[in-house]
Every structure is written in C-alpha cells, then in structure tokens.
Amino acid sequence: TVAQAYAAHTGIAYSATQASSADGASQGPTVSSAELKKVRLREIEHIQQQIAVLARYAGIDLRSDGRTAEGYQTGAQQLQTSVDNITAEFGDDLIAGVQPRFDARKIRRFDSCWNWARQDAYEWIQQTIAVCTTGVASDVDVSDEARLQQLQNRADVQLVQMLAGTAKILGASNNDALQPAIQLTQALHDACKDSLDQEPVYREFSKPMQPETHVQSTGEVKYTEKPRPSERSWAEYIQHMSCGDLDNTPPLMHLREQTESGQWTYSDMYSGAYFSGLNSIATQGISFAGKTALVTGCGRGSIGAEIVSSLLAGGAKVLATTSSYSRATTLFFENLYRTHGSRGSELVVVPFNQGSVQDIENLVSHVYGKSGSELNWNLDYVFPFAAVSDIGSTLTNLGSRSELAQRVILTNVLRLLGRIKAAKE
C-alpha cells in the first residue's frame, strides 16, 4: 500500500496488521513519536543546508552577527576584568572621588552689587527713621564704620543721586524728630560721593579674639573665643605681634631669609614689610580692583569662603568652585556676594572636583577661553583650598581615601598650577 511504501522509504517501522480493541473494533496504524521527532529534525537539518547553500551562492555571511556578538561578549569580559583590577588596586573611595563634576551649563554669576547697595542704604535710613518716630531702641549703629565702608565700596552715581533725593524729601517734612535720619542720609551721601573716585578696599573690622577652654567636672571640654582685653583693634594686635621680647629676640611671628651659608635667619626688613602690610590692611584697607582670582574649597565656614569675601570687598572678580553643587550652595554664594560684593567685583560659581584631571582641564580652558560663554580671564591669584579629610590613617593602614586626599591636596594642585602656567604662556 501507499503507507507501506512511504514507511519503507522513510525508515519508519510500520505494520499492516490491524489490531482489535477490547470490544472487537479494529484500530488504524500507529506511528512512534520518537521516530516522528527524528523525521522532523532531519527536515530542519535539510532546510538549514538549503539555506546555507543559497546564502553562499548569494554571498551572504550568515555568521557575521554571531561573530560580532561573540566579539562584544569577549570585550565585555575583558572590560569587566579591567574594572575589577582597577577597583582592587585603587579602591572605591579613589574611584568615586575622581569623577568629574564640571559643567559650564551650571555656572552662576553674581555682579549686581549696585542693587544691594540701594537696598542696604534704604534699610539703614528706614531703621533710623523707625527709631526716631517710635522711640524704640534699636541695635542699629548709625556710626557703623564697617557698614559705611561696605556702602562706599558699592557706591555709584545713581546711589549718590538717590541719597540726595532722599535727604531732600526728609528735609522737606519739617519734622524735628527726623533730624537723626536726615543727618545720616546726608552723611551717607557725602561719604558715597567722595568714594566715587576711589577704588573699593577690603578692611578688617572684626575684633581680635583669644581662645578660652574650660574643662567641666564631668570631663567635657568647652572651647570658646572672647575679645582680647588689651587689643581692641587689629592695629593694636598687629603692633603687639610685631614686637619682640625685651632681650631683642625676634617676634613670635616673623619672616626669615637665607644667607650665603644656607642658614635661615631672622629678616628685619622682610618682617617689617609684612607687619606694615598687615597694618595698612587694618587701617587703610587694600584694593583688589582689576584683579581676578580662583578659589577652590570655599564652602560654608571655610577659610576659602573668608578669602572670597575679602577679595569681593576689595573689588576683585572671583571664580569660586564647589564640589557640592545644589540650590542651597548657590544661595550661600549669592548671599556671600550680596554681603561683600563691591563696585567692579564679580562672583562666578561653578561645580568642580579638584580630584578630577578632566575637571582641571575644563576649568582652566573655561577661565582662559575667549568664546562668548567663557570667562577670558588672566588669573592673578590662585587659592587651592579644596581638600579631602583623611582622619585616622597611619603608616600601616593607608588606603584608598588616603590616596584620594593626596591627589586632591598635592598632585592635582600641581596639575592645576601647571595648566594655568601653560595657559598664560
């Protein structure tokens, strides 16, 4: 029969004998499922052979995608091996600490000190008027020298005109109670007018302080600072600091110079110039007008932030970097400029990681770049105060964080200075 002939051709075991069921009914022929699966596999193999023949005839490489995927897989394995080796060698702290953060799109610029000058002048006058009209005591000091210096540093022609107009309006009121406010306004007008031809200056108006430590009965140590009783101004403090003992020994703080023999000895000339400069800053002030500065590591409460404040008060343009860029950070710097910014000063804030070589390259390029979006500055001062704490590390347990700290405060400081030097040449 046809079934027998097909079974013989395909190698299927086939019996023509019909079996009977229990009820006597005859059953049809049966095929083994295993044999049927073999047939299906041979058909697939035959089709694949036909596809391969056709692909060779058409010049199509059916294995190209497979080989590409295998290459990717091998590359990924090699890359993972490299990452594992780098992580094992340098540690997580160093790897995380060198990630770049510089982004020119996040730069913030503050240069509107004229606006804050008008607001500060009005607040001063209004506070004085409130004292005059209500008789309520106020902590406002109309003779506040630091506040007056700050206003003079920000003065421009428009501010002088505003103060003149305010004094005229107050004088026309014929209210004797407003005389202190009128006198203040006129004094501010005269002082600001006189300062228009002068450069803004930084002066230190704080009081010299001395440390005081108390050890409680419980063992708790409390540290405070209080004004120095014998030195009520920085001029007095500097004068006392520059004096040596009665036996002609050098002052505690002094400068030395190297002699021809290689010895470092006390230099009266250099020390005198140093203390003269400090005294000039305390009494007359120092101007940074026309100067530009880069300050890294100037977060809240840091030495760098105090340096930024002083530079802004003296009229400098300052580029301040921050490794923790956020809204709170930008508000801190905005308030810093609002408090200390002066005529001609500018504060530029940019995210930056001093541990990243990429950030150093991008920062210096942005400072010296001449495109419209870049600063095009030629730095006069560099204060690399960025640092990473590494408390508790000793010779026997130097780790990943120790390497990061050395990279930030030493290696990359040299890199930064080197890139700036190259940009200047």
Side-chain angles (χ1 to χ4, degrees):
T1 65
V2 175
Q4 292 173 332
Y6 179 79
H9 175 71
T10 58
I12 298 175
Y14 174 72
S15 175
T17 305
Q18 293 182 347
S20 299
S21 61
D23 57 359
S26 63
Q27 294 181 341
T30 59
V31 179
S32 169
S33 60
E35 295 296 332
L36 188 61
K37 184 177 181 180
K38 291 180 181 179
V39 172
R40 180 57 181 164
L41 290 176
R42 283 197 293 270
E43 288 179 351
I44 293 175
E45 182 180 359
H46 181 65
I47 293 172
Q48 289 175 337
Q49 292 173 352
Q50 290 180 320
I51 292 174
V53 171
L54 293 174
R56 285 195 299 271
Y57 178 77
I60 299 174
D61 185 2
L62 296 179
R63 285 281 302 148
S64 62
D65 291 341
R67 281 191 291 270
T68 300
E70 291 172 358
Y72 286 151
Q73 184 176 8
T74 302
Q77 292 173 347
Q78 294 174 348
L79 181 60
Q80 184 61 50
T81 301
S82 297
V83 170
D84 292 341
N85 290 336
I86 291 173
T87 302
E89 182 68 27
F90 297 107
D92 294 332
D93 287 334
L94 180 58
I95 293 175
V98 300
Q99 300 304 311
R101 290 195 177 106
F102 180 87
D103 189 346
R105 297 170 299 179
K106 295 182 179 180
I107 288 178
R108 296 289 303 274
R109 306 180 75 150
F110 306 101
D111 58 2
S112 58
C113 70
W114 57 270
N115 177 52
W116 305 121
R118 286 156 177 71
Q119 181 171 323
D120 289 346
Y122 264 129
E123 285 182 355
W124 199 349
I125 295 170
Q126 289 296 327
Q127 288 168 344
T128 306
I129 292 175
V131 173
C132 295
T133 55
T134 63
V136 178
S138 171
D139 58 359
V140 176
D141 184 0
V142 296
S143 62
D144 190 335
E145 189 178 7
R147 194 173 186 181
L148 178 60
Q149 180 67 63
Q150 183 186 64
L151 197 60
Q152 287 179 292
N153 282 342
R154 304 176 176 191
D156 57 11
V157 175
Q158 289 73 25
L159 176 61
V160 173
Q161 292 174 346
M162 185 197 81
L163 290 171
T166 304
K168 185 176 181 180
I169 293 173
L170 292 174
S173 65
N174 295 322
N175 186 345
D176 292 338
L178 294 179
Q179 282 304 311
I182 296 173
Q183 294 173 3
L184 170 65
T185 306
Q186 190 61 50
L188 295 180
H189 170 270
D190 296 342
C192 290
K193 184 177 181 180
D194 292 341
S195 68
L196 292 180
D197 297 330
Q198 302 173 4
E199 293 179 340
V201 296
Y202 159 68
R203 286 182 61 193
E204 185 55 58
F205 291 98
S206 64
K207 300 298 182 182
M209 308 292 283
Q210 68 180 26
E212 187 174 73
T213 304
H214 293 279
V215 180
Q216 307 295 323
S217 59
T218 59
E220 181 183 1
V221 178
K222 287 189 176 182
Y223 171 83
T224 58
E225 294 183 356
K226 65 178 183 179
R228 293 177 175 268
S230 60
E231 297 158 340
R232 301 190 177 186
S233 69
W234 281 106
E236 295 178 359
Y237 176 74
I238 294 168
Q239 176 62 30
H240 293 167
M241 188 169 56
S242 63
C243 297
D245 295 332
L246 297 177
D247 56 355
N248 294 324
T249 58
L252 182 62
M253 182 178 293
H254 59 270
L255 300 182
R256 299 188 178 193
E257 60 181 332
Q258 192 173 27
T259 62
E260 294 181 356
S261 63
Q263 298 295 319
W264 289 92
T265 61
Y266 167 70
S267 172
D268 184 68
M269 180 180 66
Y270 291 153
S271 298
Y274 171 70
F275 287 114
S276 176
L278 290 180
N279 185 69
S280 177
I281 293 174
T283 56
Q284 302 173 17
I286 181 174
S287 177
F288 302 109
K291 303 296 185 180
T292 57
L294 167 64
V295 185
T296 70
C298 44
R300 189 186 306 273
S302 66
I303 297 176
E306 294 299 321
I307 291 177
V308 171
S309 301
S310 303
L311 291 169
L312 291 174
K317 294 183 177 181
V318 182
L319 173 60
T321 71
T322 174
S323 59
S324 56
Y325 188 89
S326 64
R327 173 170 172 77
T329 301
T330 56
L331 289 177
F332 164 73
F333 283 107
E334 178 182 341
N335 186 65
L336 194 70
Y337 184 82
R338 174 180 179 176
T339 305
H340 301 283
S342 59
R343 187 171 56 252
S345 69
E346 181 180 0
L347 177 59
V348 181
V349 181
V350 60
F352 171 75
N353 177 16
Q354 195 164 294
S356 167
V357 175
Q358 297 179 63
D359 273 13
I360 291 175
E361 297 283 357
N362 292 329
L363 179 70
V364 175
S365 296
H366 186 79
V367 171
Y368 286 90
K370 293 179 170 51
S371 69
S373 61
E374 296 172 314
L375 297 180
N376 191 21
W377 288 2
N378 188 13
L379 294 174
D380 297 291
Y381 311 111
V382 179
F383 300 90
F385 276 93
V388 173
S389 64
D390 185 29
I391 301 174
S393 294
T394 64
L395 184 63
T396 59
N397 67 350
L398 294 177
S400 178
R401 190 166 186 83
S402 300
E403 288 198 57
L404 175 62
Q406 294 301 315
R407 179 184 178 93
V408 171
I409 66 177
L410 180 60
T411 306
N412 277 12
V413 170
L414 298 178
R415 281 197 177 106
L416 177 61
L417 297 178
R419 297 299 188 273
I420 293 173
K421 179 180 181 296
K424 285 177 173 287
E425 294 175 345

